[in-house]
Amino acid sequence: MKHILKGFMACIIIFCAIVNYINPTAHAQSQDEQWEKIKERGELRVGLSADYAPYEFEHNVNGKTEYAGIDIELAKKVAKDNDLKLKIVNMQFDSLLGAIKTGKVDLIISGMTPTPERKKEVDFSNPYMTVQQKMIIKKSDADNLKTIDDFANKKIGVQKQTQQEKIAQSDIENAQIQSLTRVPEVIMSLKSGKVSGMVIEGPVAEAYLKQNKDLTFADGVKFNEGTKSTAIAAPKNAPKLMGKLNASIKEVKDKNLIEDYKDSAAEAMKKDDGNFFSKYSSFFLKGIQNTILISIVGVLLGTVFGAIIALIKLSKIRVFRWIASAYIEFLRGTPLLVQVFLVYFGTTAMLGLDISALICGMIALVINCSAYIAEIIRAGINAVDKGQTEAARSLGLTYGQTMKTVILPQAIKKILPALGNEFVTVIKESSIVSVIGVSEIMFNAQVVQGASFDPFTPLLVAAVLYFILTFTLSRVMYFFEGRMKVSD
Ligand code: ARG
């Protein structure tokens, strides 16, 4: 008990030391050089959440997926005006502020409204658009839900961490707010009757209503602050960068380019015709590839590290054993979701490294797997009868030789099936890395939700795909297990 307590204290101390390491003053200074950094890199990284047609969404051009929308056009213009290459970083709306603060992206162009709370974290450009706030409902409810008073005490859906969340809270009496991460999820809630209405911005509502004939505007609903502006968010204290942004926005306004951007967004939304599978199969194929890739890397490297950790845990030296236990317990005792975010934001915020989401996702999975696999391997080794070690040692083999030639070959038979199960688990769990924008099956299903305005079918397809992968894998495992029994 004492050991555990000591270990726990040590963990907390190490954690505090790491947190202290992020020096806030150094960070503020470096943000002054924001613009220089972008110039030097030659690439402008724009963060957005592509679930927001006509602002930003993904669509299919000859089997290839491309970003389109008003914000994308604006991002292209800012990049072009400054001779920069453009890199779009697509993630959840509620992760964007974190991403800009940790330096994952240089700008947010994501239909974002400047608010006092957000202004504490970032600076905003001059606005480039103004939009109406709307309420949408099911057509079948149109007779009952007319004015804002009709929504009192009702469940209202909104996208998480958006202005719409605030509006619903302040304007609707005793509203029960249901916040979901992505717009298509809220739409699905509405369609399935889980919420009575959704607060949403006008242009986005129109895009979704076009594809979902069972939904309509609650026209009688008026909000106190019915119009909101939209601007680009940039890191604080970056005057030069802000100057460049405002120059581009001024030109957009002078030449009324927003109208052109709207037209091309409408065009991109239209082009997506053909049946569901011909349009979106490329998304799912890409997703399958990445899911398989990250799962294999997770299990293979996880096995390598897991084996090392298992051996450390079986070591005679107490400190080693203790370190291995702490590692395993920490990783098994914290959610993978948290670990994924820690790796993704931690690598930039603490280590100053610019690592892609895919690699971060893999690192998180490898680390997580290594803890589980370490236990599998340890259990496998322990399951080999003690007498085997005694016999080998009495024949004069060293500890290492005993392990290599006597224990491990026998342990492997016990370890392999469990490792196979771990692989199945990893395939499913890997869906969690979708939160940082790794385009595996789940992430691409969400992209298709946004692109097709159909919140349900893509989820169904994702479920079937995961099932095919895990089912095939477990069949293959049974086959090998059978073979191994025969060899006994
Ligand atoms: N304008 C709203 C806000 O700033 C919603 C923006 C949501 N954007 C998105 N790409 N989903 O809070």
Side-chain angles (χ1 to χ4, degrees):
M1 189 62 206
K2 234 173 156 186
H3 285 310
I4 299 176
L5 217 65
K6 261 195 223 157
F8 188 65
M9 292 300 286
C11 275
I12 293 185
I13 293 171
I14 293 170
F15 183 74
C16 293
I18 294 174
V19 170
N20 245 328
Y21 177 78
I22 327 167
N23 181 341
T25 43
H27 216 68
Q29 271 167 9
S30 74
Q31 282 191 348
D32 251 341
E33 297 142 21
Q34 204 51 246
W35 175 245
E36 303 305 323
K37 261 200 274 174
I38 298 172
K39 267 285 172 202
E40 200 177 297
R41 197 188 314 125
E43 186 181 71
L44 183 68
R45 298 167 311 174
V46 173
L48 47 80
S49 160
D51 59 354
Y52 219 52
Y55 292 89
E56 52 250 349
F57 53 100
E58 287 186 74
H59 75 138
N60 213 329
V61 187
N62 308 324
K64 265 187 56 201
T65 64
E66 272 178 19
Y67 291 103
I70 300 167
D71 286 345
I72 306 291
E73 297 298 322
L74 180 60
K76 282 184 189 157
K77 172 155 179 60
V78 173
K80 189 161 161 252
D81 287 351
N82 296 290
D83 275 330
L84 294 166
K85 276 205 318 216
L86 176 64
K87 184 176 168 205
I88 301 287
V89 186
N90 181 15
M91 61 177 88
Q92 295 174 358
F93 188 76
D94 62 351
S95 299
L96 286 169
L97 282 178
I100 202 168
K101 296 222 43 148
T102 51
K104 283 272 168 204
V105 298
D106 305 312
L107 301 174
I108 301 171
I109 311 186
S110 196
M112 191 176 261
T113 310
T115 63
E117 297 86 32
R118 287 174 183 159
K119 279 182 188 159
K120 283 184 205 143
E121 314 293 330
V122 289
D123 283 343
F124 280 98
S125 69
N126 296 328
Y128 59 88
M129 265 176 80
T130 48
V131 281
Q132 298 292 326
Q133 307 299 313
K134 300 275 186 186
M135 177 77 89
I136 56 173
I137 51 171
K138 281 222 282 206
K139 266 192 188 147
S140 52
D141 284 338
D143 291 336
N144 309 329
L145 301 172
K146 288 197 164 118
T147 69
I148 197 145
D149 297 331
D150 297 335
F151 290 89
N153 304 313
K154 291 243 157 29
K155 288 202 180 114
I156 307 294
V158 287
Q159 186 176 25
K160 199 162 142 202
Q161 301 257 300
T162 60
Q163 271 311 99
Q164 288 65 48
E165 201 173 42
K166 287 265 157 57
I167 293 173
Q169 258 155 13
S170 64
D171 287 19
I172 302 168
E173 202 191 309
N174 201 13
Q176 299 172 38
I177 312 290
Q178 197 193 75
S179 306
L180 295 172
T181 317
R182 303 175 57 265
V183 174
E185 291 164 4
V186 191
I187 297 277
M188 189 152 71
S189 273
L190 179 61
K191 282 167 75 90
S192 59
K194 291 215 160 39
V195 295
S196 308
M198 170 181 185
V199 184
I200 181 172
E201 292 184 312
V204 185
E206 262 155 39
Y208 278 91
L209 292 198
K210 226 178 246 159
Q211 310 288 331
N212 294 277
K213 299 290 179 210
D214 50 337
L215 303 180
T216 183
F217 283 113
D219 276 325
V221 173
K222 298 277 174 281
F223 296 110
N224 289 331
E225 278 179 66
T227 40
K228 295 262 178 207
S229 62
T230 310
I232 303 179
K236 282 211 158 295
N237 308 320
K240 217 164 176 181
L241 173 60
M242 194 47 82
K244 304 281 179 193
L245 295 179
N246 283 333
S248 294
I249 289 179
K250 181 169 186 311
E251 205 187 313
V252 167
K253 285 201 168 148
D254 289 347
K255 296 189 179 158
N256 205 10
L257 293 178
I258 287 288
E259 290 310 313
D260 298 351
Y261 296 170
K262 280 185 188 162
D263 289 346
S264 68
E267 195 54 35
M269 283 194 276
K270 235 184 6 228
K271 258 194 225 135
D272 269 355
D273 45 30
N275 75 33
F276 186 88
F277 286 98
S278 69
K279 270 188 300 183
Y280 302 119
S281 56
S282 60
F283 289 84
F284 289 110
L285 284 177
K286 171 110 183 293
I288 295 175
Q289 276 169 16
N290 277 336
T291 292
I292 293 180
L293 175 73
I294 54 182
S295 305
I296 289 181
V297 170
V299 171
L300 282 188
L301 290 186
T303 306
V304 174
F305 291 116
I308 297 174
I309 292 156
L311 290 179
I312 297 179
K313 194 166 174 186
L314 289 170
S315 134
K316 293 244 156 55
I317 305 165
R318 198 194 266 167
V319 188
F320 282 6
R321 279 205 309 266
W322 182 82
I323 294 175
S325 297
Y327 179 88
I328 294 171
E329 293 307 327
F330 179 74
L331 288 165
R332 295 199 311 177
T334 51
L336 177 58
L337 178 65
V338 177
Q339 294 164 11
V340 168
F341 276 126
L342 277 179
V343 171
Y344 184 62
F345 290 122
T347 43
T348 1
M350 293 187 191
L351 308 175
L353 301 174
D354 186 15
I355 304 178
S356 75
L358 180 66
I359 302 290
C360 287
M362 284 182 186
I363 294 176
L365 271 186
V366 169
I367 294 177
N368 184 275
C369 283
S370 68
Y372 285 93
I373 294 178
E375 283 298 273
I376 292 176
I377 294 179
R378 191 181 64 94
I381 292 176
N382 279 344
V384 176
D385 192 64
K386 273 237 169 65
Q388 301 274 332
T389 316
E390 283 159 14
R393 296 305 293 272
S394 66
L395 286 175
L397 297 188
T398 63
Y399 175 76
Q401 283 169 331
T402 309
M403 267 293 166
K404 218 168 97 194
T405 57
V406 180
I407 307 299
L408 284 182
Q410 298 184 68
I412 281 181
K413 270 194 191 162
K414 307 204 163 28
I415 293 171
L416 276 184
L419 219 49
N421 282 335
E422 177 67 13
F423 201 170
V424 170
T425 308
V426 170
I427 290 181
K428 293 182 289 175
E429 297 265 279
S430 68
S431 59
I432 288 181
V433 303
S434 62
V435 294
I436 54 170
V438 178
S439 70
E440 40 66 77
I441 295 177
M442 190 58 203
F443 181 85
N444 280 332
Q446 293 176 340
V447 168
V448 175
Q449 281 183 319
S452 64
F453 304 94
D454 174 353
F456 194 67
T457 320
L459 286 182
L460 216 55
V461 177
V464 171
L465 292 180
Y466 278 114
F467 180 72
I468 293 176
L469 287 182
T470 54
F471 188 72
T472 318
L473 184 65
S474 31
R475 288 294 109 181
V476 172
M477 270 161 43
Y478 284 139
F479 175 75
F480 280 112
E481 267 174 49
R483 293 283 292 256
M484 269 187 343
K485 279 215 189 84
V486 171
S487 84
D488 273 343

